[in-house]
Amino acid sequence: KQEVTQIPAALSVPEGENLVLNCSFTDSAIYNLQWFRQDPGKGLTSLLLIQSSQREQTSGRLNASLDKSSGRSTLYIAASQPGDSATYLCAVSPTDSWGKLQFGAGTQVVVTP
Amino acid sequence: NAGVMQNPRHLVRRRGQEARLRCSPMKGHSHVYWYRQLPEEGLKFMVYLQKENIIDESGMPKERFSAEFPKEGPSILRIQQVVRGDSAAYFCASSPGQRNEKLFFGSGTQLSVL
């Protein structure tokens, strides 16, 4: 059974610092991995999707890496801003049902001005 | 192109009543997924539907819960005889159905059972 774990559960950093969010999963047989952002009272916004054959994806200040063999992904957010405050979720997609995502519990990020 | 639309945003029901949650996928999307987020827990998959078909309902409780996605109109998640433990945020996501396409999520329906 796939287990997705995110560490730390919460993180507070001053503006300008780089953020490093970790995600681990127990079953390496995944189709892809996605990172989402969730704001209070709102839905999820997909940030990055990494296919199982890829090692990383980048979008602006965001970079996500994937090491499928060790069951790990890391989301880097460069030069954090107060607007980056949110909960970040990682989710893996199993190979036999790619849209059936297995989510981690999330990392709650606060960026202080 | 409007995103995934869910309504209502907030729904209050008393124990024993029925709850109906609606989801209109993005234009051109024929695949719909429902997820539930219980307090202090992560999102859990409930059901996957394509137009007029339930593809995977392995995450849905066997009793009181049902889902449909008719040929015309939104997808409906129906909870009969609600109990306090059903209080949660229910999210709908849609995709065009192609592999490695991102899922697009709605803003969710917060169900509160009194």
Side-chain angles (χ1 to χ4, degrees):
Chain A
K1 182 190 172 188
Q2 180 73 272
E3 299 282 346
V4 182
T5 304
Q6 291 189 246
I7 294 173
L11 184 61
S12 181
V13 298
E15 183 177 2
E17 271 198 18
N18 297 330
L19 285 162
V20 180
L21 309 179
N22 298 299
C23 173
S24 62
F25 47 95
T26 55
D27 186 350
S28 61
I30 64 170
Y31 200 76
N32 60 44
L33 182 145
Q34 293 185 68
W35 282 95
F36 293 88
R37 169 185 172 139
Q38 185 176 23
D39 294 282
K42 296 186 180 179
L44 282 70
T45 302
S46 181
L47 299 173
L48 293 166
L49 181 151
I50 313 176
Q51 298 180 30
S52 61
S53 58
Q54 296 177 321
R55 299 285 290 184
E56 67 176 347
Q57 278 286 344
T58 298
S59 176
R61 295 185 294 112
L62 276 60
N63 174 277
S65 65
L66 174 63
D67 184 340
K68 202 173 75 163
S69 61
S70 67
R72 293 179 186 175
S73 177
T74 302
L75 177 67
Y76 300 90
I77 303 177
S80 61
Q81 304 168 0
D84 294 328
S85 298
T87 297
Y88 291 83
L89 302 167
C90 81
V92 298
S93 170
T95 54
D96 59 346
S97 183
W98 65 272
K100 184 177 169 180
L101 303 181
Q102 179 89 26
F103 281 86
T107 295
Q108 187 174 10
V109 171
V110 174
V111 180
T112 55
Chain B
N1 185 9
V4 177
M5 305 300 292
Q6 288 188 249
N7 66 80
R9 288 296 308 276
H10 302 276
L11 182 61
V12 179
R13 286 288 178 265
R14 296 191 180 279
R15 281 179 294 171
Q17 291 184 320
E18 179 181 286
R20 280 182 170 247
L21 288 64
R22 295 176 199 79
C23 169
S24 296
M26 287 182 70
K27 188 176 180 181
H29 288 191
S30 59
H31 296 241
V32 165
Y33 302 81
W34 286 92
Y35 287 80
R36 177 167 69 171
Q37 188 172 36
L38 291 165
E40 307 304 322
E41 292 188 22
L43 279 107
K44 305 285 187 196
F45 166 82
M46 297 182 74
V47 62
Y48 163 35
L49 310 104
Q50 294 180 25
K51 283 285 186 180
E52 299 185 276
N53 289 304
I54 296 174
I55 306 301
D56 184 340
E57 56 182 350
S58 58
M60 203 147 71
K62 295 289 186 287
E63 297 180 352
R64 302 187 298 108
F65 285 72
S66 62
E68 63 176 11
F69 189 17
K71 186 177 180 181
E72 301 292 336
S75 175
I76 306 287
L77 179 67
R78 182 182 176 206
I79 311 171
Q80 294 178 291
Q81 299 175 339
V82 296
V83 301
R84 289 215 172 114
D86 297 332
S87 296
Y90 292 81
F91 290 95
C92 166
S94 74
S95 81
Q98 299 301 314
R99 286 177 175 265
N100 282 317
E101 286 283 343
K102 294 177 183 178
L103 292 190
F104 292 84
F105 280 78
S107 297
T109 292
Q110 181 65 51
L111 173 65
S112 298
V113 180
L114 305 179

